Amino acid sequence: MQTQKPPAAPPARTYTAVLKQSRRITPESSREEVRHLVFHAADQSFDAAIGNCIRVMAPGQFGNTFHVRVYSLMDVERGSSGTQFAICVRRCSYVDEFNGEEYKGVASNYLCDMKPDTVLQFAGPVGYPFSIPEDKSADILMLGMGTGIAPFRTLVRQIYEKIGGWQGRVRLFYGAKTPLEMLYMNDESNDLSLYFDQPTFKAFQAVSPRPALDAPAALDQALEQNAAEVWEMMRRPTTCVFVAGTANLLAVIEQAMVRLAGSGREWLSVQSALKSSGRWNEVLY
């Protein structure tokens, strides 16, 4: 198991990739459109891994050449013809705080509207990769919200399909606004259900108590409902923790963990041990 952070990565290079597949993974009845996009980069020098991110360089606006946004990589496969990878994209919009008008998100709509064989320009990889521990008896705790589930889907597939014989507990806590937005865990795309019969795997879903008011998913409640196991896993010296989602996810996790620990000081002590031994991994955007 890796016990320290790898050296800093060199400056990200610019590459191109061809879109091979774009499929919607939320039901048509959902207000949220999220798509699973698969690309192929022919340049053999593009060396990425699960947990890395790329900077998508969408066409710019207002005189800017590019509009850059970061997306987490999943399903990274290297071959003789290059690297195939996938990203998970939610079609977004935003309201201008000055005039109150709603506008389409530049990068997300550019990606969601792409057609197969379109060329994407991007830079990367950036960030640290997610490394599965060598010890098959190690526990793995995954905490994510929204499109943050993307790298976890791939981690679970690697653990049970490529590695196999996993003895440690694998726990996924995942939050979304409604059950329809449970990516890879809904009627449209239920990939993770393939692993529900694995004796070491469990997934816990958390939805927003008030989705119409944009209230956050109750991920903290899901953690507290499983407090005994989660806290025991956090304190186990071989447990690896993976966190993925938007930046505000950390505040949700911290609040829940302080309650599980009984004090902020105890949680900071446990989290410090996880980070110092390289067992705390996060990708936030």
Side-chain angles (χ1 to χ4, degrees):
M1 181 186 300
Q2 186 176 349
T3 58
Q4 61 182 0
K5 287 289 187 183
R13 283 186 51 187
T14 300
Y15 298 91
T16 59
V18 177
L19 178 65
K20 295 299 183 181
Q21 178 190 110
S22 175
R23 62 184 174 95
R24 178 168 176 148
I25 57 174
T26 47
E28 291 294 336
S29 57
S30 170
R31 293 182 303 170
E32 298 280 355
E33 179 185 354
V34 182
R35 304 192 72 84
H36 179 101
L37 279 67
V38 180
F39 292 91
H40 182 266
D43 193 327
Q44 292 283 358
S45 67
F46 177 58
D47 186 12
I50 305 305
N52 282 148
C53 297
I54 59 170
R55 293 190 177 101
V56 168
M57 303 166 69
Q61 296 181 322
F62 313 116
N64 297 311
T65 304
F66 297 111
H67 183 89
V68 180
R69 284 292 181 268
V70 175
Y71 290 89
S72 175
L73 295 178
M74 56 191 294
D75 295 341
V76 180
E77 297 287 344
R78 288 182 60 82
S80 58
S81 62
T83 301
Q84 182 165 289
F85 63 88
I87 59 176
C88 186
V89 181
R90 183 188 304 275
R91 189 186 292 275
C92 299
S93 62
Y94 67 94
V95 176
D96 189 287
E97 60 183 18
F98 295 106
N99 60 27
E101 294 290 330
E102 183 174 359
Y103 297 97
K104 294 181 178 180
V106 178
S108 67
N109 281 271
Y110 166 70
L111 289 166
C112 287
D113 290 338
M114 287 184 73
K115 304 300 182 185
D117 297 325
T118 303
V119 176
L120 172 75
Q121 190 166 354
F122 68 95
V126 295
Y128 296 112
F130 283 174
S131 299
I132 298 174
E134 296 178 3
D135 181 3
K136 293 185 178 181
S137 67
D139 289 342
I140 293 178
L141 184 61
M142 295 172 282
L143 310 172
M145 291 179 66
T147 55
I149 196 174
F152 295 157
R153 170 183 173 271
T154 305
L155 284 179
V156 172
R157 289 178 61 188
Q158 289 181 333
I159 288 169
Y160 292 111
E161 293 183 13
K162 291 189 176 182
I163 299 176
W166 199 266
Q167 302 161 20
R169 292 168 290 183
V170 179
R171 300 291 184 263
L172 168 62
F173 287 83
Y174 171 57
K177 188 178 294 184
T178 72
L180 292 176
E181 277 82 64
M182 285 289 175
L183 308 181
Y184 306 108
M185 299 170 73
N186 58 39
D187 292 340
E188 189 72 21
S189 179
N190 200 13
D191 300 11
L192 285 167
S193 66
L194 300 174
Y195 309 101
F196 287 169
D197 61 347
Q198 294 286 344
T200 58
F201 178 67
K202 288 183 181 179
F204 301 92
Q205 301 176 349
V207 298
S208 169
R210 298 179 300 279
L213 301 178
D214 288 331
L219 187 65
D220 53 344
Q221 294 181 21
L223 290 169
E224 291 175 40
Q225 289 168 1
N226 297 273
E229 181 177 57
V230 170
W231 189 240
E232 189 270 328
M233 290 177 69
M234 283 288 187
R235 298 180 62 187
R236 192 179 180 199
T238 57
T239 296
C240 280
V241 180
F242 298 93
V243 178
T246 54
N248 59 2
L249 173 61
L250 282 181
V252 175
I253 293 173
E254 181 175 351
Q255 292 170 8
M257 291 303 166
V258 168
R259 289 193 285 270
L260 266 59
S263 71
R265 177 178 295 181
E266 180 64 19
W267 163 236
L268 287 176
S269 175
V270 171
Q271 187 184 43
S272 177
L274 287 163
K275 288 183 175 181
S276 64
S277 59
R279 295 181 293 114
W280 178 275
N281 309 268
E282 63 186 47
V283 54
L284 303 169
Y285 31 84

